[in-house]
Amino acid sequence: MAADELLPEPLPADPLPMFATWFSDARVRNVQPNPDAMVIATVGENSAPSARVVLCKRLVPDQGFVVFFTNYDSRKGRELEEHPRAAAVFHWDAMHRQVRLEGPIVMSPAPESDQYFASRAFESRIGAWASAQSEPLASRGALAAQVEAVKERLGLQKATDGEVPRPPHWGGIRLWIDSIELWAEGAGRIHERARWTRQLTKKDEFSFSGGPWTGTRLNP
Ligand SMILES: Cc1cc2nc3c(=O)[nH]c(=O)nc-3n(C[C@H](O)[C@H](O)[C@H](O)COP(=O)(O)O)c2cc1C
């Protein structure tokens, strides 16, 4: 089965509007239960890679970064602190498309994390305090007890009792894109691939400015 659309010829100078269209297509057409899911790969001790699924909650194509939210003390958080680069993969099976991203990461500015945290369900906000993500857990009951302890400590039993503050160890991570590959399934396994790279120059704690993109078709 071929992708809905193959890659334009010649390739666009800037790949990010096309990535944004693919991302939006996947969400608008609701092609899978979590169309915003991406696998994030990080590098740990002894250069060992590790990967897991997270949800991409923002894509800012004009600047060129994506955002996911997590516990900064989790395994991925600790690995990213040591090695602040990541790779991400989206796979939209029903659209026969894959997108690969690579680049440096930064923690989101506090307002970005606060805004998203405030939009989460009460239980998820309590859970962000209760779960020491990636740490050993004695039993399922132990987590339930941690949830109850957090509610007790914050004096919040239900959503209408008040605001759950954002834990300092929980927030957004921005992956700034300096390499992107778009892949579209072709007929008879003659797929289409192209990769674009650019230089990123650090502007401040949260942002980079991007140089021009260089795009190349790749053998599938
Ligand atoms: C569909 C799906 C979405 C997920 N979304 C997130 C997410 O947005 N943030 C997150 O921290 N973990 C998310 N997880 C859980 C992660 O895959 C992972 O188990 C967790 O973050 C701990 O990973 P780590 O120990 O490598 O840090 C998601 C899992 C699945 C299957």
Side-chain angles (χ1 to χ4, degrees):
M1 180 69 133
D4 305 5
E5 273 174 79
L6 297 176
L7 303 180
E9 184 97 68
L11 294 171
D14 178 351
L16 296 180
M18 200 165 162
F19 168 35
T21 302
W22 286 18
F23 187 57
S24 153
D25 283 352
R27 294 199 298 170
V28 170
R29 289 157 58 180
N30 218 10
V31 292
Q32 60 203 42
N34 290 296
D36 51 356
M38 59 181 180
V39 174
I40 282 277
T42 54
V43 174
E45 271 175 42
N46 303 320
S47 307
S50 70
R52 77 290 289 152
V53 176
V54 295
L55 299 180
C56 173
K57 288 294 169 188
R58 269 191 93 193
L59 159 59
V60 183
D62 52 335
Q63 294 182 63
F65 63 87
V66 292
V67 184
F68 65 95
F69 293 88
T70 196
N71 184 318
Y72 294 140
D73 297 334
S74 64
R75 177 175 178 187
K76 76 182 90 47
R78 284 184 277 110
E79 291 190 351
L80 286 170
E81 201 176 336
E82 280 297 303
H83 302 278
R85 273 190 76 85
V89 184
F90 292 84
H91 177 213
W92 297 297
D93 215 356
M95 298 199 308
H96 314 281
R97 288 172 175 166
Q98 171 183 243
V99 174
R100 297 169 64 177
L101 310 176
E102 292 167 29
I105 64 93
V106 296
M107 276 158 61
S108 289
E112 183 169 63
S113 298
D114 290 339
Q115 197 180 2
Y116 178 67
F117 189 74
S119 77
R120 302 179 89 215
F122 176 73
E123 290 72 19
S124 309
R125 283 177 281 151
I126 293 289
W129 282 103
S131 165
Q133 193 177 55
S134 314
E135 293 302 316
L137 180 66
S139 65
R140 189 186 301 149
L143 182 57
Q146 286 164 208
V147 167
E148 288 315 308
V150 165
K151 288 181 174 172
E152 191 70 30
R153 185 162 58 77
L154 296 175
L156 302 169
Q157 292 299 324
K158 54 185 186 314
T160 48
D161 288 345
E163 281 306 303
V164 182
R166 176 174 62 87
H169 58 264
W170 192 99
I173 291 183
R174 290 180 170 184
L175 164 56
W176 281 83
I177 305 163
D178 65 14
S179 170
I180 176 167
E181 180 188 312
L182 303 182
W183 180 100
E185 186 172 338
R189 298 202 183 261
I190 305 299
H191 312 310
E192 298 225 331
R193 287 177 70 189
R195 183 173 63 218
W196 290 256
T197 55
R198 67 173 176 175
Q199 201 93 49
L200 285 175
T201 309
K202 189 113 186 186
K203 267 205 312 208
D204 56 41
E205 196 184 340
F206 307 112
S207 50
F208 292 82
S209 53
W213 289 102
T214 305
T216 320
R217 274 184 187 265
L218 299 174
N219 279 268

